[in-house]
Amino acid sequence: MDLGIAGRTAIVCASSKGLGRACATALAAEGCTVVINGRDGASLEKTAAEIRDATGAQIIPVVGDVATREGQAALLAAAPNPDILVNNNAGPPRKDFRELDRDAMLKGVVANMVTPIELIQQVIDGMAERGFGRIVNITSASVKAPIVGLDLSSGARAGLTAFLAGVARTVAHRNVTINGILPGMFDTDRLRGGFPAEAKLLGVTPEEVADKRRGGNPAKRFGQPEEFGQLCAFLCSAQAGYVTGQNILIDGGGFPGAF
């Protein structure tokens, strides 16, 4: 399927690796010019080169932290009038909620709720004026089924979801859509990075932890980042103009519900 977005410009936040990178790659493969972002310049340049080589697309790396005013300004300087915005940012580390002080809570809310809203504020009117806009927010399956220890991440992302539910309905008539993708367990560095600590706690190996996690999912596997990226690309497509205000689980059936 031709997604009808060749020649469009996309900003993909936190995209030097993982699910953000997968989204950037999928959009580049569809012919978009893609602004990618990360805090490590060397890693970001390497990612940019690899996506260029794989897709032939124009890839513009922008080093910066999207949770800061400076980072946001740098992204928008590289693409002042984006057609597509993919919001993404790392969540706070797993921690018992009793250990969270005010500063930690505010930082988590800024990173995972306030930052995407600020970026949307800066691009949504231009999208509406031009008659095309696609905004995708990468959140988490924990919005649907909270995970103990990730309470701050779940709360901030759920707040973002509720905030944008109303906003999405105000611009749908201008062919601007806002949707969320809620990933479950994907085979990324972030997922695997937690296995050693869990393995030590349980007295098993990291691979045994991985096997248990895979076995507990109805699909009996982890998701591949490419699958996530392709879903993102479809939500950014010309064909997805009637899909808005939705939050789509992509978790191999891990959430045990019909709705």
Side-chain angles (χ1 to χ4, degrees), residues 9-255:
T9 299
I11 294 174
V12 184
C13 301
S15 46
S16 63
K17 59 184 178 179
L19 300 181
R21 173 176 174 155
C23 293
T25 301
L27 291 169
E30 292 298 323
C32 293
T33 294
V34 183
V35 176
I36 66 170
N37 159 253
R39 287 178 286 185
D40 183 303
S43 176
L44 190 64
E45 289 290 350
K46 182 174 183 290
T47 295
E50 289 172 351
I51 298 176
R52 282 190 205 102
D53 289 346
T55 65
Q58 182 180 4
I59 308 298
I60 303 168
V62 174
V63 179
D65 181 351
V66 294
T68 66
R69 296 287 190 188
E70 295 79 10
Q72 293 178 20
L75 282 174
L76 293 169
N81 299 299
D83 304 294
I84 295 165
L85 170 65
V86 180
N87 279 310
N88 184 35
N89 206 359
R94 186 184 294 264
K95 184 174 287 191
D96 187 285
F97 83 95
R98 297 171 185 84
E99 300 173 8
L100 297 169
D101 60 21
R102 177 180 286 261
D103 287 344
M105 287 189 281
L106 291 175
K107 184 177 179 181
V109 171
V110 167
N112 295 136
M113 179 181 173
V114 175
T115 293
I117 293 170
E118 288 177 333
L119 284 167
I120 291 168
Q121 286 175 323
Q122 295 176 79
V123 304
I124 196 168
D125 289 338
M127 290 176 172
E129 288 169 8
R130 296 188 299 275
F132 182 93
R134 299 289 183 264
I135 297 169
V136 175
N137 302 295
I138 300 176
T139 61
S140 170
S142 70
V143 168
K144 189 90 169 173
I147 299 169
V148 174
L150 294 180
D151 313 282
L152 178 54
S153 174
S154 302
R157 297 183 196 279
L160 175 68
T161 302
F163 188 104
L164 294 176
V167 175
R169 274 74 184 180
T170 68
V171 290
H173 67 292
R174 304 299 297 271
N175 193 26
V176 177
T177 66
I178 304 175
N179 293 292
I181 307 180
L182 287 58
M185 293 184 293
F186 276 79
D187 199 354
T188 62
D189 291 343
R190 180 170 174 81
L191 176 68
R192 290 189 173 274
F195 291 166
E198 187 174 345
K200 184 177 181 180
L201 185 66
L202 298 173
V204 298
T205 67
E207 194 51 46
E208 286 174 311
V209 171
D211 288 342
K212 182 178 179 181
R213 293 280 194 93
R214 279 190 290 259
N217 185 278
K220 305 301 180 187
R221 68 179 180 89
F222 297 139
Q224 294 303 307
E226 294 79 9
E227 296 174 288
F228 188 94
Q230 288 154 6
L231 173 58
C232 178
F234 176 74
L235 288 176
C236 296
S237 71
Q239 292 89 336
Y242 207 53
V243 181
T244 195
Q246 303 306 303
N247 295 283
I248 300 171
L249 274 170
I250 177 168
D251 69 346
F255 177 74

